[in-house]
Amino acid sequence: MNDIATRVWNHKWKIDPIVRSLIDTDFYKLLMCQSVFRKHPTTQVRFSLINRSIHVPLAHLIDEGELREQLDHVRTLSLTRGESTWLRGNTFYGKRQMFRPDFMEWFENLRLPEYHLERVGEQYELTFEGPWPEVMLWEIPALAILMELRSRAVLRDMGRFELQVLYARAMTRVWEKVERLRALEDLRLADFGTRRRHSFLWQDWCVQALREGLGDNFAGTSNCLIAKNRDVEAIGTNAHELPMIYAALADGDAALARAPYDVLADWQEEHEGNLRIILPDTYGTEGFLENAPDWLAGWTGIRVDSGDPATGAETAIRWWKERGENPTEKLVIFSDGLDVDKIEELHRQFQGRVRVSFGWGTLLTNDFRGLVADDALAPFSLVCKAVEADGRPTVKLSDNPRKAMGPKAEIARYKRVFDVGDQDAMEVVV
């Protein structure tokens, strides 16, 4: 196990790469990338960094030259032979050769495209443009770099003993959470903490802690590199990116209304079993389920990723019953802003009613709240989203209006097309 405090002390080296592998990314990114490579290889997209927590002045905290060094380093990366062998030969979700030979050949020759970086006030404007399969792979490393550079900036002036104590306290906090989770019968939990982690080494430590502390109740990690190195399951399905871009490409309101279901029809061609998970909240869960085709009710489960999680799960249970499905055989994955209190609450509420699983993210891999002066290491909400596809703006509504994004006129249009009424605004923690 790495001595994290000593490694952090050694970040004073000229360059210590934050992202050292193209598979230091979330598993769902690679699954989606293969689908995009097959269906939309020439679609041109633009992704953009969005700091929802504007009180965190990234351009003040992070040196632009250091940020460029880290981004430039990522552009030198390519798959190693061992990484390629793992992707080609490993069994994922019970399926061997999940990644097709044509996709792997493309991925093995990939270098990530150029980026645009500009300082705007106390924030950075960071964008990526080009073919969808290439540009989409920038999202996770870009977020990981910015989050870790912010951590390094805060820790830079700390001495060795101060760092040792800080990480001892953070480790104790994680382990205390693990001890509480041990008491939950039939718990199923995975690490979803790559995109807003404190650091790669810290995420790796958290995965090892979960593996030892939870045993078989630990389902795996979304991080492909950690899954490979630690011999645990790689976990993930699909994300909002797919319906957002499919919707942007739709011509007319009727095609727009069909777009979220077209995404899943394409997904169904490639995947089965536990990869058939619905993410219904991109344009409002209620409307999505009300208008969903009958074949979607036969899918394995649903991921609840915005709004009140209990309400989302109750909505799914009601929908399954209305469609003649048995909810106790269905999987509900909770993945929005979870911490141990909420995991305990939701597990108690839904155990036995559905198959419950948790994707534990930022408050697993970046909970340093209250551990340094001015709470300067508290996690914050940073995202990198597709904002344009073939020259058209993308829109996300979510079940929480504070997560909505897109031009105001397009947001209004999407609300009309998807019949989204009043929504309850909830605090966006991470």
Side-chain angles (χ1 to χ4, degrees), residues 60-63 66 147-157 377:
H60 175 72
L61 290 168
I62 297 171
D63 176 74
E66 192 174 3
M147 295 301 292
E148 185 161 348
L149 283 178
R150 182 258 197 164
S151 298
R152 291 185 184 186
V154 174
L155 302 177
R156 185 170 289 125
D157 295 329
L377 279 180

Side-chain angles (χ1 to χ4, degrees), residues 359-370:
W360 194 10
T362 307
L363 295 179
L364 166 66
T365 61
N366 201 357
D367 188 5
F368 285 71
R369 292 173 295 180

Side-chain angles (χ1 to χ4, degrees), residues 94 109 179 228 239 289 339 347:
N109 289 285
E179 289 181 321
K228 171 184 172 293
L289 295 178
D339 203 5
H347 188 272

Side-chain angles (χ1 to χ4, degrees), residues 121-361:
E122 292 194 326
Q123 302 296 337
Y124 282 116
E125 179 182 281
L126 178 60
T127 57
F128 311 92
E129 297 186 47
W132 188 6
E134 299 178 20
V135 173
M136 67 186 295
L137 294 178
W138 259 119
E139 177 185 353
I140 306 301
L143 290 172
I145 285 169
L146 281 152
M147 295 301 292
E148 185 161 348
L149 283 178
R150 182 258 197 164
S151 298
R152 291 185 184 186
V154 174
L155 302 177
R156 185 170 289 125
D157 295 329
M158 289 188 177
R160 289 194 180 192
F161 286 96
E162 192 174 8
L163 287 169
Q164 289 283 3
V165 171
L166 171 67
Y167 280 103
R169 288 171 174 165
M171 289 175 178
T172 299
R173 174 175 291 177
V174 171
W175 192 251
E176 288 174 347
K177 293 180 182 183
V178 170
E179 289 181 321
R180 287 173 59 181
L181 293 173
R182 279 174 167 173
L184 300 182
E185 185 179 355
D186 297 325
L187 174 70
R188 179 178 170 82
L189 181 145
D191 157 44
F192 276 17
T194 299
R195 63 182 53 236
R196 286 188 287 268
R197 67 196 182 195
H198 171 78
S199 71
F200 173 80
L201 291 176
W202 184 247
Q203 182 184 14
D204 186 43
W205 187 90
C206 289
V207 166
Q208 294 176 74
L210 289 177
R211 188 179 187 183
E212 178 177 319
L214 299 182
D216 291 341
N217 291 338
F218 175 54
T221 175
S222 66
N223 187 285
C224 296
L225 182 59
I226 295 175
K228 171 184 172 293
N229 290 347
R230 299 297 175 186
D231 194 25
V232 299
E233 293 292 327
I235 303 291
T237 54
N238 55 69
H240 300 105
E241 171 185 341
L242 292 178
M244 287 172 65
I245 292 180
Y246 271 59
L249 297 175
D251 291 321
D253 288 356
L256 174 59
R258 291 193 307 272
Y261 310 114
D262 292 341
V263 169
L264 299 182
D266 285 348
W267 191 261
Q268 186 167 247
E269 290 181 14
E270 291 195 55
H271 302 298
E272 56 188 21
N274 283 344
L275 283 174
R276 290 188 178 177
I277 301 295
I278 302 167
L279 181 61
D281 69 317
T282 311
Y283 303 119
T285 295
E286 289 275 3
F288 176 94
L289 295 178
E290 181 178 341
N291 297 299
D294 288 340
W295 52 265
L296 268 178
W299 274 33
T300 300
I302 276 178
R303 180 158 71 94
V304 179
D305 195 55
S306 65
D308 178 69
T311 299
E314 294 288 3
T315 300
I317 290 170
R318 184 172 63 250
W319 177 69
W320 280 317
K321 288 180 177 179
E322 291 171 351
R323 299 296 178 103
E325 298 286 336
N326 181 359
T328 64
E329 297 176 353
K330 297 297 185 179
L331 177 65
V332 174
I333 302 172
F334 296 102
S335 61
D336 182 31
L338 296 175
D339 203 5
V340 65
D341 291 341
K342 182 58 69 173
I343 292 171
E344 290 173 332
E345 176 188 328
L346 293 169
H347 188 272
R348 286 192 299 267
Q349 184 171 351
F350 292 100
Q351 184 186 24
R353 300 177 61 199
V354 292
R355 295 162 51 212
V356 179
S357 184
F358 299 95
W360 194 10

